[in-house]
């Protein structure tokens, strides 16, 4: 059954919520089959699929292209489209227009955006347009230049209190959930107790309402030299598996082991004699 926004709100008191990023049709199918609750078409697309160094350069059009691929698979998961950098940082009108593109053209169910106090008016405007919003607090990668890199946030009581105030603000504005990234577990636990909407953690410890990981981190679709963040758990080593498969393909083609008859089409009505005669004809034509 399709997961809805009200269902996500209910899950806070029922069980842990799972969220996974996906950026294409086959991954969307797999995530849905695994009965994950939410697909996030994250702006992490910029790094894990498009090869950028950070999330800042991915555009609305690029994000939309991938949201469409994900929703074409008709997953049962709630599909949340991540608003890219500068798609919601100017006017409220522009932010609502961009959020609505994800709903109308991308067929997403909701949008996610980073920030608290600074984004109050924008979040209010998007929710007024009947678009469900997932917030994102703590280590917000789009603010990496302001934060001086990817640094754990809320490490003093003063900063943790500020985070709590922002979480309460998101709840008051009507966000249906939020991502909490890169904060001490003890801080995440208090925020989770104090707000009524689900908090989905990444690098926020175990005592939150659910967990999200980036798909390519989880399946290990990363070359050896890539160093995972502390919060990543690899559940597979797909990069190595894929390299092995490609090496086997190369070897079999070079040694004429692949393709076999099994992978080839039969002659149909063409006999061996037909081929012999045909070759003679061709020789005449070409001479
Ligand atoms: O873009 C993304 O993948 C995210 C998750 C890390 C929450 O924002």
């Amino acid at each position: 059954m399709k997961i809805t926004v009200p269902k996500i709100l209910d899950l806070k008191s029922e069980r842990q919520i799972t969220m996974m990023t996906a950026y294409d049709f086959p991954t969307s199918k797999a995530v849905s089959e695994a009965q994950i609750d939410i697909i996030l078409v994250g702006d992490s697309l910029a790094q894990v699929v498009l090869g950028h160094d950070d999330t800042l350069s991915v555009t609305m059009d690029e994000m939309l292209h991938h949201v469409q691929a994900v929703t074409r698979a008709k997953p049962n998961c709630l599909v949340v489209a991540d608003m890219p950098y500068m798609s919601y940082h100017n006017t409220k009108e522009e932010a609502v227009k961009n959020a609505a593109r994800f709903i109308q053209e991308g067929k997403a169910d909701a949008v996610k955006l980073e920030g608290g106090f600074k984004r109050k008016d924008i979040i209010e405007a998007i929710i007024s347009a009947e678009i469900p919003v997932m917030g994102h607090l703590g280590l917000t990668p789009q603010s990496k230049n302001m934060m001086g890199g990817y640094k754990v946030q809320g490490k003093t009581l003063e900063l943790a209190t500020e985070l709590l105030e922002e979480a309460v603000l998101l709840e008051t504005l009507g966000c249906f959930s939020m991502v909490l990234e890169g904060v001490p577990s003890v801080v995440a636990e208090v925020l989770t107790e104090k707000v009524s909407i689900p908090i989905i953690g990444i690098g926020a410890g175990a005592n939150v309402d659910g967990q999200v990981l980036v798909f390519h981190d989880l399946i290990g679709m990363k070359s050896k030299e890539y160093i995972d963040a502390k919060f990543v758990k690899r559940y597979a080593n797909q990069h190595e598996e894929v390299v092995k498969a490609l090496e086997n393909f190369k070897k079999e083609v070079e040694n004429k082991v692949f393709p076999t008859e099994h992978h080839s089409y039969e002659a149909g009505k063409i006999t061996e004699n037909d081929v012999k005669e045909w070759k003679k004809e061709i020789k005449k034509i070409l001479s």
Side-chain angles (χ1 to χ4, degrees):
M1 212 164 46
K2 175 80 182 173
I3 303 275
T4 61
V5 162
K7 178 68 190 165
I8 296 299
L9 279 157
D10 288 346
L11 286 178
K12 175 146 182 135
S13 54
E14 292 176 15
R15 61 163 169 82
Q16 285 285 302
I17 298 166
T18 48
M19 179 159 91
M20 186 52 48
T21 67
Y23 317 97
D24 58 32
F25 181 91
T27 312
S28 178
K29 284 275 184 206
V31 175
S32 181
E33 203 175 311
Q35 298 188 359
I36 300 289
D37 299 307
I38 306 173
I39 287 178
L40 172 66
V41 188
D43 63 353
S44 48
L45 164 77
Q47 290 164 289
V48 297
V49 174
L50 304 180
H52 293 293
D53 288 336
D54 54 37
T55 58
L56 299 175
S57 12
V58 71
T59 64
M60 260 310 291
D61 286 343
E62 286 169 333
M63 286 297 299
L64 191 56
H65 181 73
H66 289 266
V67 171
Q68 287 168 335
V70 164
T71 57
R72 250 175 238 135
K74 301 204 178 338
N76 285 332
C77 327
L78 186 87
V79 177
V80 179
D82 211 359
M83 297 199 66
Y85 178 58
M86 287 316 292
S87 69
Y88 60 97
H89 299 73
N90 288 317
T91 62
K92 283 190 274 185
E93 290 71 23
E94 193 183 7
V96 172
K97 203 174 111 204
N98 282 328
R101 284 190 75 194
F102 282 137
I103 306 296
Q104 291 187 305
E105 298 172 46
K107 310 285 179 230
D109 303 305
V111 299
K112 173 172 90 57
L113 58 88
E114 297 181 6
F117 301 132
K118 285 187 197 164
R119 307 292 159 227
K120 178 179 177 290
D121 293 348
I122 298 284
I123 294 171
E124 220 161 29
I126 296 174
I127 293 175
S128 298
E130 307 300 339
I131 299 171
V133 174
M134 174 184 278
H136 187 158
L137 296 177
L139 194 173
T140 45
Q142 291 175 10
S143 318
K144 77 161 219 203
N145 293 325
M146 293 292 275
M147 295 184 309
Y150 300 115
K151 298 202 169 128
V152 176
Q153 301 294 300
K155 285 175 83 175
T156 65
L157 276 187
E158 199 183 343
L159 292 170
T161 305
E162 217 171 276
L163 263 183
L164 173 65
E165 283 167 0
E166 290 200 299
V168 170
L169 173 71
L170 295 189
E171 176 188 18
T172 311
L173 292 174
C175 289
F176 72 95
S177 63
M178 74 187 82
V179 168
L180 187 60
E181 179 168 354
V183 301
S185 308
V186 64
V187 174
E189 186 175 347
V190 173
L191 264 60
T192 304
E193 264 173 38
K194 298 295 174 199
V195 298
S196 64
I197 58 173
I199 291 189
I200 300 169
I202 177 163
N207 295 322
V208 285
D209 300 306
Q211 298 291 331
V212 54
L213 280 179
V214 169
F215 178 73
H216 292 68
D217 291 345
L218 173 124
I219 64 162
M221 194 62 199
K222 297 267 189 73
S223 51
K224 277 196 193 88
E225 67 270 17
Y226 190 89
I227 299 161
D228 285 329
K230 181 178 166 68
F231 55 74
V232 170
K233 179 170 177 183
R234 287 195 188 205
Y235 287 80
N237 286 304
Q238 276 302 300
H239 180 81
E240 282 79 359
E241 282 297 308
V242 169
V243 172
K244 226 185 287 167
L246 293 167
E247 284 170 350
N248 277 339
F249 166 74
K250 178 180 158 66
K251 206 182 330 163
E252 289 199 3
V253 170
E254 286 175 356
N255 294 325
K256 294 200 71 75
V257 174
F258 174 82
T260 61
E261 263 182 33
H262 175 75
H263 303 103
S264 310
Y265 297 106
E266 286 169 10
K269 290 180 180 160
I270 305 169
T271 63
E272 263 180 47
N273 201 43
D274 286 342
V275 175
K276 221 188 271 170
E277 293 303 316
W278 185 36
K279 282 185 177 169
K280 280 186 205 157
E281 284 290 313
I282 291 170
K283 210 170 179 182
K284 266 192 249 159
I285 296 166
L286 295 181
S287 61

